[in-house]
């Protein structure tokens, strides 16, 4: 079977310059990089963003890394509130700020030849009825999806624990509300599947396969939203990787350890070793059938 394409998220390498992070990942043998738009690597609010993006394009060409664009920077829009504003904010101008970030991400992704742009819904604001929150989400995403369709880069929404859209059912609710546009895709986080979904992660992979444009991966415990290094949670990874293989997923599978930047270079090495070993075991299991 075709080897899986592994990447590492820059939100787990925030103590490194982007140039150093990219060369580290290439030297280790990664296939790609999940680039979070943030002030320390590629600032989406920089006045010279186009020039900075061009330099990143050169860096990716030099290192041979594929890229996907992440938009989960904690304080990139609001320096005092984590992940705010969201697409659900009561203030229309605040919602537009988040939508504007996504439009910027689409442009950056197109310039870099990225596979997808990641996004999330945000938490439902206190006092906002659920149906109204879903309508806000669809209304704010609609123009972003139009832009992504024109750019040829899908927007891959991530079910996030604690958010309005927190599971696969929520993804399908949004997709139906928007009329099932081709430009709307799914970011499937394997740890989140373990945390919240009723089915095992491998079954989630198979169920979500037609819509997945990006995969994030880490270890996790059921019911506890904490991204853990591999081997520190309870996920059985060979079946997950086998499911990704057999469903034909060819996008990036990005290690997502945003709370472990202090150990980022070492975790990048051990994570790759762990996933390649799990992939080999998955191939052995598949061949035995």
């Amino acid at each position: 079977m075709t080897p899986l394409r592994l990447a590492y998220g820059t939100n787990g390498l925030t103590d490194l310059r982007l140039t150093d992070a990219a060369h580290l990942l290439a030297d280790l043998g990664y296939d790609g990089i999940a680039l979070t738009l943030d002030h320390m690597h590629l600032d989406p609010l920089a006045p010279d963003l186009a020039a900075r993006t061009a330099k990143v394009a050169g860096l990716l060409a030099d290192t041979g890394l594929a890229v996907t664009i992440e938009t989960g920077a904690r304080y990139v829009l609001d320096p005092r509130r984590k992940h705010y504003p969201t697409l659900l904010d009561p203030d229309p101008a605040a919602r537009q700020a988040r939508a504007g970030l996504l439009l910027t991400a689409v442009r950056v992704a197109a310039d870099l030849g990225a596979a997808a742009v990641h996004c999330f819904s945000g938490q439902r604001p206190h006092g906002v009825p659920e149906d109204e929150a879903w309508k806000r989400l669809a209304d704010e995403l609609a123009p972003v999806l139009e832009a992504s369709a024109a750019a040829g880069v899908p927007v891959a929404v991530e079910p996030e624990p604690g958010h309005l859209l927190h599971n696969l059912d929520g993804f399908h609710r949004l997709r139906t509300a928007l009329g099932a546009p081709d430009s709307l895709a799914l970011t499937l986080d394997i740890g989140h599947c373990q945390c919240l979904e009723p089915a095992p992660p491998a079954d989630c992979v198979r169920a979500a396969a037609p819509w997945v444009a990006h995969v994030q991966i880490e270890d996790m415990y059921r019911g506890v939203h904490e991204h853990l290094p591999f081997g520190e949670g309870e996920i059985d990874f060979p079946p997950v990787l086998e499911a990704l293989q057999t469903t034909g997923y060819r996008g990036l599978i990005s290690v997502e350890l945003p709370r472990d930047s202090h150990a980022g270079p070492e975790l990048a090495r051990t994570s790759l070793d762990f996933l390649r070993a799990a992939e080999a075991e998955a191939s052995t299991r598949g061949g035995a059938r």
Side-chain angles (χ1 to χ4, degrees):
M1 291 186 287
T2 304
L4 296 172
R5 301 173 66 221
L6 301 179
Y8 202 93
T10 60
N11 61 359
L13 295 169
T14 57
D15 293 318
L16 275 66
R17 299 177 185 86
L18 182 58
T19 300
D20 294 335
H23 283 284
L24 167 72
L25 298 180
D27 290 346
L28 288 173
Y30 278 93
D31 304 290
I33 187 167
L35 175 58
T36 294
L37 299 184
D38 207 349
H39 66 89
M40 77 290 291
H41 287 146
L42 183 58
D43 187 349
L45 305 183
D48 59 342
L49 178 59
R52 296 187 187 202
T53 301
K55 289 183 179 180
V56 173
L59 174 63
L60 296 174
D62 289 343
T63 55
L65 293 173
V67 65
T68 192
I69 299 300
E70 300 265 4
T71 61
R74 293 183 178 94
Y75 297 100
V76 67
L77 293 177
D78 188 327
R80 300 189 180 190
R81 295 189 302 165
K82 179 181 175 183
H83 293 319
Y84 274 86
T86 75
L87 296 170
L88 308 178
D89 198 288
D91 181 358
R95 296 199 297 272
Q96 280 296 102
R98 175 61 62 174
L101 174 64
L102 296 180
L103 289 169
T104 296
V106 168
R107 292 192 293 271
V108 170
D111 289 343
L112 295 180
V117 170
H118 151 277
C119 74
F120 51 77
S121 68
Q123 298 177 347
R124 177 161 63 101
H126 179 71
V128 175
E130 185 174 353
D131 287 347
E132 173 61 23
W134 282 105
K135 184 178 184 302
R136 282 184 190 175
L137 179 60
D139 288 349
E140 296 298 338
L141 271 180
V144 177
L145 292 169
E146 290 180 10
S148 73
V153 181
V155 171
V157 64
E158 177 188 7
E160 182 77 26
H163 284 206
L164 176 70
L165 198 162
H166 63 273
N167 57 17
L168 293 177
D169 287 346
F171 168 74
H172 289 296
R173 177 171 178 169
L174 175 64
R175 185 170 175 271
T176 299
L178 286 164
D182 291 339
S183 54
L184 178 66
L186 176 68
T187 292
L188 189 68
D189 187 300
I190 301 304
H192 294 175
C193 293
Q194 178 70 19
C195 181
L196 286 180
E197 298 288 349
D203 289 351
C204 293
V205 169
R206 286 184 280 268
W211 302 281
V212 176
H214 180 42
V215 172
Q216 297 171 344
I217 194 165
E218 67 285 312
D219 217 339
M220 202 168 287
Y221 281 102
R222 179 100 182 135
V224 182
H225 183 207
E226 182 179 359
H227 291 233
L228 299 172
F230 299 108
E232 295 186 13
E234 60 186 7
I235 298 176
D236 183 12
F237 284 96
V240 174
L241 300 184
E242 183 182 359
L244 288 166
Q245 283 276 22
T246 57
T247 56
Y249 179 70
R250 295 294 177 264
L252 293 177
I253 302 169
S254 304
V255 178
E256 182 83 356
L257 294 173
R259 299 179 184 178
D260 292 282
S261 281
H262 63 282
E266 179 61 13
L267 279 172
R269 182 187 66 79
T270 57
S271 296
L272 185 64
D273 290 346
F274 181 96
L275 289 172
R276 288 302 184 205
E279 182 183 9
E281 183 176 342
S283 299
T284 300
R285 290 186 186 184
R289 288 188 174 89

